Amino acid sequence: WWFSPACRADPRTCVPAITTGDGWFLDAMMQRAAAFNMPLALAVATQDTYAAVPKTLDMLFYWWVPDITFVDLRPMPVKFPDHDKALWDSGNMITDAAKVPCRKWAS
């Protein structure tokens, strides 16, 4: 677990948040937790744990569409400032990620 500065002194006040894989989006989650004083405890879970734990505990989790893993939970996104390409190009990921259209092409 990585405890953000907002709750590092008392980890019991942290809100758990997980991701999976090799730490998908973990760097952005850490930067945002620090920049916006969010009391988060961040962890990288195995795929099975990542898919199961948010269904039994109240927590934040990294998710993307069109993946259906958490669709039954009706998750709500945490909104950050609109994407700033210059910040992201410099390694600062405190704004939203760039939108990537999800398209299906067929012929």
Side-chain angles (χ1 to χ4, degrees), residues 1-2 10 21 23-24 35 37 43 46 51 53 81 95:
W1 292 94
W2 176 85
D10 185 1
W24 297 336
N37 201 34
T46 65
V53 172
T95 61

Side-chain angles (χ1 to χ4, degrees), residues 39-81:
L40 297 182
L42 300 171
V44 178
T46 65
Q47 184 64 37
D48 290 341
T49 299
Y50 167 79
V53 172
K55 294 181 179 183
T56 59
L57 300 173
D58 287 331
M59 65 187 322
L60 297 175
F61 49 89
Y62 175 72
W63 189 51
W64 59 95
V65 174
D67 179 68
I68 62 167
T69 303
F70 300 119
V71 73
D72 56 320
L73 298 178
R74 296 174 36 151
M76 299 293 296
V78 176
K79 180 68 177 132
F80 294 98

Side-chain angles (χ1 to χ4, degrees), residues 12-33:
R12 295 170 298 163
T13 64
C14 293
V15 174
I18 62 170
T19 186
T20 191
D22 60 358
W24 297 336
F25 222 62
L26 184 63
D27 47 358
M29 294 167 74
M30 293 169 77
Q31 287 186 26
R32 292 169 181 180

